[in-house]
Amino acid sequence: MMTDAILVLNAGSSSIKFELFSVNGDDPESRLEGQMEGIGASPRLIARDARRQVLADHRWAGPDVADHATALRVMGQELAPAVEGYRIVAVGHRVVHGGPDFAAPVIVDDGMMDRLRALAPLAPLHQPHNLAGIAAARAALPGVPQVACFDTSFHRTHAWEADTFALPPEFYDRGIRRYGFHGLSYEYIAANLAEEEPALAAGRVVVAHLGNGSSLCAIRNGRSVDSTMGFTALDGVPMGTRCGQIDPGVLLHLMQAEGMDAAALQKLLYGNAGLKGMSGISQDVRDLEASGEPRAAGALAYYVWRVRREIGALAAALGGIDALVFTAGIGENARNLRARICDGLDFLGIAVDPERNAANAPEISSPGARTRVLVRPTDEEGMIARHVLALLQRSQNA
């Protein structure tokens, strides 16, 4: 007997994260997960089963796994014994940018690939690699539906004033607007809060997705009201290597006075800014906290300041706040930064209990605090699997 399964892929520039979900009813169940990293350089495949037991841990010479298509083929060969008995009925993909038109997952065909490629300039660090993963999966699994799930979709519930720029309206009509990102993560947090604490989920929640890519989102009754990211994933708070919010006049100055062209600006803003650029040391918070360098301390102080500032702004957009949720790599693990971010937010009813915070407890707010502060793991792959299954079920019932 074969078990139907959904494969979820999240392709980056030199990596493919994957997770296999069995399909039984309406709730996909994770069976194995892992990633192929270092594609084209020092490739390594590591995979674990649902009990976190290592199923595979292999390394290759760089030329042996030079691209995403080869990586997917090698992954299939290495993991064949682990996936025996599963029939992949669909593949779900994280796609960062859906533009103004895609507010829900879609099955990808040739025409859809062309439309998604046209959005690549809006997410140059992500979109081309996301699409490379789709192309590789289409070649490896012909006839299997490939489903694109967009990081921007969750934010399509914004009011016009939250999405527009102060430009003539024809620019908005041409798609120059604020999209917001990390939507799959926010959607997962909102859905799980609705399952665990429906009364809280119906209220006013600010979620801080803090990792190498960082953003915050204001959510009311499970729907996105506003987000710190805008037209691209550069906007908002500083990130590992991205600048976050910057005065557009700075860009004009760099072009006019210092002769930087678009390629040089892209390299600076996406790859040599943020925590890495400010510190000159690393984009990893752990490295910066361990460093005694003043530039490292300054980078962290700026990060804390900007995240705290955005929490206040999003609370204003919601007309108040009932809960603050930390998620993603920094949000779930960086205890010191969480405490520093929350320090001074007592005017919002936010207070952190030091012992709970040190223990990474699911709730770290002080007893009796007016606003709850939660720490929650996110699961973008699980959210994609849910979307894919729902789309398959709708297609079968149509």
Side-chain angles (χ1 to χ4, degrees):
M1 292 288 292
M2 299 289 284
T3 300
D4 288 351
I6 293 169
L7 175 64
V8 173
L9 299 179
N10 185 349
S13 59
S14 61
S15 66
I16 301 178
K17 292 176 63 179
F18 59 87
E19 193 161 355
L20 187 74
F21 295 82
S22 61
V23 176
N24 184 16
D26 295 329
D27 192 17
E29 186 174 351
S30 178
R31 294 301 183 183
L32 66 89
E33 56 86 24
Q35 69 175 1
M36 173 77 84
E37 59 188 12
I39 297 171
S42 300
R44 180 189 183 192
L45 169 66
I46 186 163
R48 296 180 175 88
D49 64 17
R51 299 185 301 276
R52 304 296 296 167
Q53 299 297 311
V54 175
L55 297 173
D57 189 350
H58 299 293
R59 297 178 186 270
W60 292 265
D64 294 339
V65 187
D67 53 33
H68 290 76
T70 305
L72 204 60
R73 176 175 54 79
V74 168
M75 286 159 51
Q77 293 169 349
E78 294 292 330
L79 297 174
V83 300
E84 186 177 0
Y86 292 102
R87 177 178 53 243
I88 296 175
V89 296
V91 184
H93 301 265
R94 178 193 179 213
V95 177
V96 166
H97 216 304
D101 298 328
F102 298 112
V106 295
I107 295 177
V108 178
D109 56 20
D110 290 340
M112 190 66 63
M113 285 290 282
D114 291 339
R115 295 174 68 183
L116 298 180
R117 286 191 190 98
L119 297 170
L122 307 186
L125 285 190
H126 302 91
Q127 196 89 348
H129 311 302
N130 300 157
L131 301 185
I134 296 177
R138 293 181 76 194
L141 298 167
V144 175
Q146 308 290 323
V147 179
C149 299
F150 302 100
D151 253 346
T152 49
S153 293
F154 184 64
H155 304 295
R156 299 283 58 78
T157 54
H158 290 182
W160 170 83
E161 55 268 28
D163 275 357
T164 193
F165 295 107
L167 296 171
E170 57 264 28
F171 288 92
Y172 183 90
D173 295 339
R174 297 208 299 262
I176 299 176
R177 59 186 76 171
R178 300 183 69 248
Y179 290 102
F181 297 89
H182 293 137
L184 292 162
S185 173
Y186 294 128
E187 188 176 12
Y188 179 84
I189 295 295
N192 273 45
L193 277 181
E195 294 172 3
E196 296 174 2
E197 301 194 51
L200 183 63
R204 303 160 299 182
V205 179
V206 173
V207 182
H209 176 108
L210 306 181
N212 189 52
S214 294
S215 70
L216 294 90
C217 181
I219 300 174
R220 181 191 295 119
N221 196 24
R223 294 163 67 88
S224 177
V225 172
D226 203 354
S227 173
T228 57
M229 283 183 167
F231 181 62
T232 69
L234 274 176
D235 202 4
V237 299
M239 295 164 248
T241 63
R242 284 172 269 171
C243 62
Q245 185 274 330
I246 189 169
D247 182 346
V250 172
L251 308 184
L252 293 175
H253 173 80
L254 293 175
M255 294 170 68
Q256 295 167 351
E258 301 199 17
M260 296 182 73
D261 61 11
L265 284 176
Q266 179 173 302
K267 184 176 180 180
L268 169 65
L269 301 179
Y270 278 99
N272 294 321
L275 295 176
K276 180 182 178 182
M278 293 185 74
S279 69
I281 297 172
S282 173
Q283 65 204 62
D284 193 313
V285 165
R286 293 166 295 188
D287 294 338
L288 300 184
E289 288 186 324
S291 172
E293 291 293 326
R295 287 178 62 181
L300 291 175
Y302 179 71
Y303 184 85
V304 166
W305 174 263
R306 291 296 309 194
V307 172
R308 186 191 297 136
R309 184 173 183 254
E310 295 299 338
I311 292 169
L314 293 177
L318 289 168
I321 181 172
D322 300 307
L324 170 63
V325 181
F326 287 99
T327 192
I330 295 172
E332 294 173 36
N333 300 294
R335 304 166 180 82
N336 292 337
L337 280 194
R338 283 198 305 255
R340 291 175 63 184
I341 288 167
C342 292
D343 186 32
L345 292 178
D346 50 300
F347 72 99
L348 291 176
I350 291 173
V352 168
D353 180 274
E355 292 185 0
R356 289 179 176 178
N357 186 47
N360 271 345
E363 181 162 354
I364 61 172
S365 43
S366 297
R370 186 174 80 247
T371 299
R372 297 175 65 185
V373 182
L374 310 177
V375 178
R376 291 289 187 273
T378 192
D379 186 359
E380 292 162 309
E381 287 75 22
M383 196 70 241
I384 291 171
R386 294 184 194 180
H387 277 307
V388 172
L389 180 57
L391 184 58
L392 292 178
Q393 291 173 337
R394 287 195 299 272
S395 299
Q396 292 169 356
N397 295 331

